Amino acid sequence: MTAPRIRHSRVSVEGPNGVGKSYLIDQVAVRLEDTVTPLAELPDVGADRLSGRLVAALQAGGDPFLRTGFPLAETFTLLGLAVRRYEHVAGAFAGKPTVVLEDRGTDTVAVYQAVILTEDADHESEVVLALLDTAAAWCPAPDLSVLLLDDPDLCLVRWEERTGVSATPDQRRLMARAHDLYLWLARRQPHRYTIIDRRELNEEQTVEALAAVCRALASREER
């Protein structure tokens, strides 16, 4: 089975919690308002009643990583929500020459769920690829993906300030493993991934680097 293709282009912005994805996406969307359409992170999309109910069920336990004690069911629910978001975007932007800038995509679902489904790093790379292969039948990978990185300690501070809670040791391990798996995936797929490290750039340079990825894709699609 092959997922339907759609005319607009997609760039997903991936990265660990607290790296500043949503803020930077908003800055790029303002800068490139005639080219880029931002798309909210999966739990915040609320494209329809079904999606909203499923997200609410995952959030009901209060875990910020949407863990309810049933990791396989959670994984396939999140993959299904990612597919539903793709369907929503396909309908909303069909035939429109825009670059959809996604705040985290299927890669993030696969990365975090691979970590949750495995006890250590020995098998997580195998699982993340299997999850991406499963999702690709209905939701093709973005045209390009950006991995945003920053100092892990600073990311943790931002995440705790945003959520208003202190990360538990378990949550810290989860975020650290996800960071490493993101990096492994990006290095394995250099044809699709651009890595932007905020430790090497100031805020203006980071926004411009992300905007440049969108401009490059828009120019490529116009040819």
Side-chain angles (χ1 to χ4, degrees), residues 186-202:
R187 288 172 174 168
R188 192 179 190 277
Q189 300 182 348
H191 60 286
R192 180 163 70 89
Y193 261 98
T194 296
I195 298 175
I196 299 176
D197 194 329
R198 299 189 67 179
R199 289 168 291 193
E200 301 171 357
L201 305 169
N202 61 33

Side-chain angles (χ1 to χ4, degrees), residues 122-140:
D122 290 344
H123 302 290
E124 62 187 18
S125 59
E126 178 182 347
V127 174
V128 75
L129 294 179
L131 292 176
L132 289 173
D133 285 345
T134 298
W138 296 277
C139 179

Side-chain angles (χ1 to χ4, degrees), residues 23-97:
Y23 172 77
L24 293 168
I25 286 172
D26 288 344
Q27 298 303 304
V28 171
V30 171
R31 184 168 301 193
L32 302 179
E33 59 179 340
D34 295 330
T35 304
V36 166
T37 300
L39 186 64
E41 187 174 357
L42 186 58
D44 300 326
V45 172
D48 52 43
R49 183 181 297 180
L50 174 61
S51 298
R53 287 179 174 177
L54 290 172
V55 169
L58 291 172
Q59 293 174 330
D63 184 85
F65 299 97
L66 307 181
R67 293 174 293 181
T68 65
F70 302 94
L72 280 175
E74 296 153 13
T75 297
F76 286 101
T77 299
L78 288 166
L79 288 177
L81 286 167
V83 173
R84 178 65 191 101
R85 182 170 77 160
Y86 176 77
E87 291 177 327
H88 169 70
V89 170
F93 301 109
K96 297 180 181 179

Side-chain angles (χ1 to χ4, degrees), residues 129-206:
L129 294 179
L131 292 176
L132 289 173
D133 285 345
T134 298
W138 296 277
C139 179
D143 300 276
L144 295 173
S145 293
V146 173
L147 175 59
L148 280 175
L149 296 175
D150 203 346
D151 177 77
D153 291 336
L154 182 55
C155 288
L156 180 62
V157 169
R158 291 196 195 104
W159 183 82
E160 291 181 332
E161 289 177 348
R162 176 167 56 84
T163 61
V165 298
S166 297
T168 65
D170 170 66
Q171 291 168 345
R172 288 172 182 253
R173 284 192 298 270
L174 174 59
M175 287 187 275
R177 286 181 60 194
H179 172 280
D180 293 344
L181 190 53
Y182 271 127
L183 194 54
W184 177 87
L185 184 62
R187 288 172 174 168
R188 192 179 190 277
Q189 300 182 348
H191 60 286
R192 180 163 70 89
Y193 261 98
T194 296
I195 298 175
I196 299 176
D197 194 329
R198 299 189 67 179
R199 289 168 291 193
E200 301 171 357
L201 305 169
N202 61 33
E203 183 177 306
E204 168 61 24
Q205 291 169 329
T206 302

